C-alpha cells in the first residue's frame, strides 16, 4: 500500500467518526424538566409574577407550546408517561406512593441506548425504582433535599454541599463536557425545584423581599356551583398550606391576622418562596445553553424545557396540582432545534406529555414501538401542514385517598370545553366553557342550554377512553386493585385540630410518609 494511503486512511476514519457524531439525522437531546413549574411563572408565557430571561431566550430561539397538557397531573406518574409514551393505566404507575415504576418495560431512553446513543439522567428521578436505560445516572433519592442533598450516583449515595438546583446544573454541565464525544447523546437534566417546600437558594432567599405580587382573580374562590370534587380537597393556601408549614418555623404569620388578610399574607409568602426557586431553575437553563454554545453543540442538539405538570399559584385559593383544571393540567413546553424549528414560533394545538417519546424517536430515526400512544410533534415543530391533529385530550387522575385529598377523576378537554367526571365515592360532573369562563368558575354540567355540548363531550370522552384502552369499568377496577392513593394509614390534616395539635400533626406527617 502506498505510504500516503496509510496517512489518508486514519484521517478518513476520524472524519467518519466526526460526521457520525454530528450526523443531522441523529441529533443530541437535552431534556430539562423541572417539578411543578406553572406556565404562569415563566415570562415567555406572559407571567406578571417573574422574569425568566434564560427560558425566554430558549423560547425566542425555538417553539413555545401554549396548549401542552399532562395526562395525570402528579410527579412520578407524569414522568412514567413521558418515558413510556403510554397512559398510566398501561404503564402501571398510577400514583406516587402505592405504585412504583416497572423499569423492565420499554422506555425511549432504552431505545436510544440500543441505537448507540449515550444516555444520562441527572437530578430528580422519583420513580421508586432505579433508572434503567441510562449509561450514567446520578439522581436524588425520592423527592430529594433542597439543601446539602444526597445523590445516588450509579448506586452509590454521596452527599453534596450546596443547593440542589445549582448542583444539578453543575453536574449537567460537567457531564456535557466529559461525555463520550464520539456518540450522540440524550441528557435528562431534571430539577426538584420549585416543588414544595419551596426552599430557595441562599442566592435568592431575599430576592423578593418587599415585593407584592398580583393576586389571582380566584384567590377567594368559594366553589359555588361546583361539585364536592372541587370543594373538599386539602389544597387551600389557607388553611392547608398553613397546616403543612406551621410547625417548621417557616411561616411567621403576623399575630392577629385573620380572614382574607391572612390569606393575602400567605399568598405573598408562598409566591416569594416559589418564585425564588424558579429563578434558580432559570439560571440552570442558562448554564446548559451556554455550555452547548461553548462546546459547539447548539446546532445539532434538541433542547426541551418542560415540567412534570403545572401548579396552582393561588388560583381557586389553591397551591399544588392534581386537578384537571387548567393551571395544573397545563405544562410548559419549549423546544429549540435550530436546523428545523423557526425561532420565536408559537404552537396552539393540543399536545401531551404522552407525545414526547415518539417525538424524540422520530428525530433520531429510531422506530417507535407500535403500542406507544402519543404522536410525534415533529410536523408541528417544523410548521409543516398537518391534516388531522388531535382536537381533544384525555385525562385521568388516581391518587385518592391521599395527599391533598383530590378525588379520582377523568375527563376530556377540547379547544373550547372541558368535561370532568369525579367517579370515586361521589358521582359528580363538571363542565366549563374555557372561552367565556377561562377561570373555570361556572359549572355548566347541568345547564340545559349546554345539554348538546355535554352530550358531545360525553361521546368524545368515551371515544378517547376506547382509543387509549381505558373505561369506567377499568377505573373502578383500579379503585379495587389500588384502594389507597397514599399509604393506607394516610390521614387528612384537615381532620386534626387546625392550629393546636402539634403532636397529632407530627404523628400524621410520619404516618403519611410511610414511616413507622
Ligand atoms: Ca411534580
Amino acid at each position: 500500500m502506498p505510504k500516503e494511503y496509510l496517512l489518508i486512511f486514519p484521517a478518513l476514519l476520524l472524519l467518519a467518526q466526526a460526521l457520525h457524531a454530528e450526523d443531522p439525522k441523529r441529533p443530541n437531546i437535552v431534556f430539562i424538566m423541572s417539578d411543578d413549574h406553572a406556565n404562569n411563572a415563566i415570562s415567555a408565557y406572559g407571567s406578571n409574577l417573574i422574569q425568566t430571561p434564560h427560558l425566554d431566550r430558549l423560547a425566542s430561539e425555538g417553539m413555545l407550546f401554549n396548549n401542552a397538557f399532562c395526562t395525570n397531573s402528579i410527579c412520578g406518574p407524569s414522568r412514567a408517561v413521558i418515558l413510556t409514551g403510554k397512559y398510566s393505566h398501561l404503564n402501571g404507575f398510577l400514583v406516587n406512593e402505592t405504585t412504583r415504576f416497572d423499569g423492565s418495560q420499554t422506555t425511549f431512553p432504552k431505545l436510544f441506548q440500543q441505537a448507540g446513543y449515550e444516555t444520562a439522567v441527572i437530578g430528580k428521578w422519583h420513580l421508586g425504582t432505579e433508572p434503567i436505560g441510562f449509561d450514567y445516572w446520578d439522581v436524588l433519592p425520592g423527592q430529594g433535599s433542597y439543601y446539602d442533598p444526597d445523590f445516588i450516583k450509579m448506586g452509590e449515595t454521596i452527599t453534596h454541599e450546596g443547593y440542589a438546583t445549582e448542583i444539578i446544573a453543575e453536574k449537567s454541565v460537567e457531564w456535557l463536557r466529559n461525555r463520550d464525544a464520539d456518540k450522540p447523546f440524550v441528557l435528562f437534566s431534571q430539577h426538584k425545584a420549585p416543588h414544595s417546600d419551596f426552599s430557595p437558594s441562599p442566592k435568592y432567599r431575599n430576592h423578593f423581599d418587599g415585593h407584592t405580587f398580583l393576586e389571582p382573580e380566584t384567590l377567594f374562590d368559594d366553589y359555588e356551583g361546583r361539585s364536592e370534587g372541587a370543594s373538599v380537597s386539602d389544597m387551600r393556601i389557607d388553611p392547608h398550606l398553613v397546616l403543612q408549614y406551621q410547625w417548621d418555623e417557616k411561616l411567621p404569620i403576623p399575630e392577629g391576622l385573620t380572614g382574607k388578610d391572612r390569606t393575602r399574607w400567605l399568598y405573598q409568602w408562598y409566591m416569594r418562596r416559589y418564585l425564588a426557586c424558579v429563578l434558580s431553575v432559570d439560571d440552570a437553563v442558562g448554564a446548559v445553553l451556554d455550555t452547548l454554545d461553548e462546546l459547539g453543540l447548539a446546532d445539532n442538539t434538541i433542547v426541551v424545557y418542560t415540567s412534570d405538570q403545572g401548579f396552582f399559584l393561588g388560583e381557586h385559593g389553591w397551591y399544588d396540582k392534581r386537578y384537571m383544571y387548567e393551571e395544573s393540567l397545563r405544562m410548559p413546553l419549549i423546544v429549540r432545534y435550530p436546523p428545523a424549528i423557526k425561532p420565536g414560533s408559537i404552537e396552539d394545538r393540543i399536545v401531551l406529555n404522552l407525545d414526547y417519546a415518539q417525538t424524540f424517536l422520530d428525530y433520531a430515526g429510531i422506530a417507535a414501538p407500535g403500542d406507544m400512544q402519543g404522536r410525534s410533534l415533529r410536523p408541528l415543530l417544523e410548521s409543516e401542514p398537518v391534516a388531522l391533529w388531535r382536537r381533544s385530550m384525555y385525562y385521568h387522575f388516581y391518587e385518592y385517598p391521599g395527599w391533598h385529598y383530590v378525588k379520582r377523576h377523568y375527563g376530556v378537554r377540547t379547544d373550547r370545553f372541558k368535561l370532568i367526571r369525579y367517579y370515586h365515592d361521589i358521582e359528580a360532573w363538571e363542565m366549563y366553557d374555557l372561552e367565556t369562563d377561562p377561570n373555570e368558575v361556572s359549572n355548566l354540567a347541568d345547564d340545559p342550554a349546554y345539554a348538546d355540548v355535554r352530550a358531545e363531550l360525553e361521546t368524545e370522552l368515551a371515544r378517547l377512553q376506547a382509543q387509549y384502552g381505558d373505561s369506567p369499568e377499568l377505573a373502578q377496577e383500579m379503585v379495587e386493585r389500588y384502594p389507597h392513593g397514599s399509604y393506607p394509614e394516610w390521614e387528612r390534616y384537615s381532620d386534626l385540630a387546625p392550629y393546636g395539635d402539634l403532636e397529632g400533626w407530627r404523628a400524621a406527617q410520619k404516618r403519611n410518609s410511610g414511616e413507622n
Side-chain angles (χ1 to χ4, degrees), residues 157-223:
T157 302
I158 302 167
T159 307
H160 292 259
E161 272 182 37
Y163 182 64
T165 310
E166 291 161 8
I167 296 167
I168 292 164
E170 281 163 24
K171 282 175 177 286
S172 301
V173 165
E174 196 184 326
W175 186 87
L176 285 169
R177 289 189 202 287
N178 296 311
R179 76 196 195 285
D180 179 352
D182 290 336
K183 284 182 170 181
F185 66 85
V186 179
L187 169 63
F188 283 58
S189 180
Q190 305 195 144
H191 295 284
K192 166 186 174 54
H195 191 283
S196 74
D197 54 354
F198 324 117
S199 298
S201 161
K203 185 179 168 188
Y204 291 122
R205 193 168 281 151
N206 302 111
H207 185 87
F208 291 115
D209 282 3
H211 193 99
T212 302
F213 298 99
L214 201 65
E215 291 170 3
E217 289 170 30
T218 55
L219 183 61
F220 301 105
D221 196 345
D222 61 4
Y223 316 110

Side-chain angles (χ1 to χ4, degrees), residues 223 230 232-241 312 315-323 328 403-406 492 494:
Y223 316 110
V232 301
S233 65
D234 289 356
M235 296 262 298
R236 289 195 68 92
I237 290 172
D238 195 1
H240 304 108
L241 188 74
F312 293 100
E315 299 91 353
H316 304 288
W318 288 331
Y319 67 118
D320 214 76
K321 57 262 182 179
R322 295 157 199 276
Y323 277 117
S328 83
W403 297 100
H404 295 288
Y405 211 66
V406 172
R492 298 186 71 179
S494 292

Side-chain angles (χ1 to χ4, degrees), residues 34-36 74-76 79 124 195 307-310 321:
S34 57
D35 195 326
D36 295 358
I74 188 80
C75 305
R79 288 153 202 266
K124 187 165 177 182
H195 191 283
S307 166
D308 55 356
Q309 77 283 311
K321 57 262 182 179

Side-chain angles (χ1 to χ4, degrees), residues 36 146 192 194-200 234-253 265-266 269-270 273-274 277 311 319-321 403-404 493 498-499 502 505-506 509:
D36 295 358
Y146 271 111
K192 166 186 174 54
H195 191 283
S196 74
D197 54 354
F198 324 117
S199 298
D234 289 356
M235 296 262 298
R236 289 195 68 92
I237 290 172
D238 195 1
H240 304 108
L241 188 74
V242 184
L243 285 163
Q244 198 174 341
Y245 290 96
Q246 65 175 328
W247 308 117
D248 297 345
E249 293 175 35
K250 286 174 182 166
L251 205 48
I253 304 175
W265 185 92
L266 287 163
W269 178 88
Y270 165 38
R273 288 179 64 112
Y274 178 93
C277 292
F311 215 64
Y319 67 118
D320 214 76
K321 57 262 182 179
W403 297 100
H404 295 288
Y493 296 146
Y499 307 110
L502 174 58
W505 186 87
R506 281 187 179 146
Q509 177 83 341

Side-chain angles (χ1 to χ4, degrees), residues 362-405:
D362 187 359
Y363 269 108
I366 304 169
D371 60 353
M372 282 189 173
Q373 297 180 307
R375 195 166 166 189
S376 170
L377 303 179
R378 191 170 179 171
L380 305 190
L381 287 163
E382 300 184 4
S383 306
E384 284 173 6
V386 186
L388 292 168
W389 190 256
R390 73 167 68 83
R391 306 290 300 273
S392 64
M393 61 83 58
Y394 176 61
Y395 181 85
H396 196 161
F397 174 80
Y398 299 85
E399 197 175 290
Y400 178 87
W403 297 100
H404 295 288
Y405 211 66

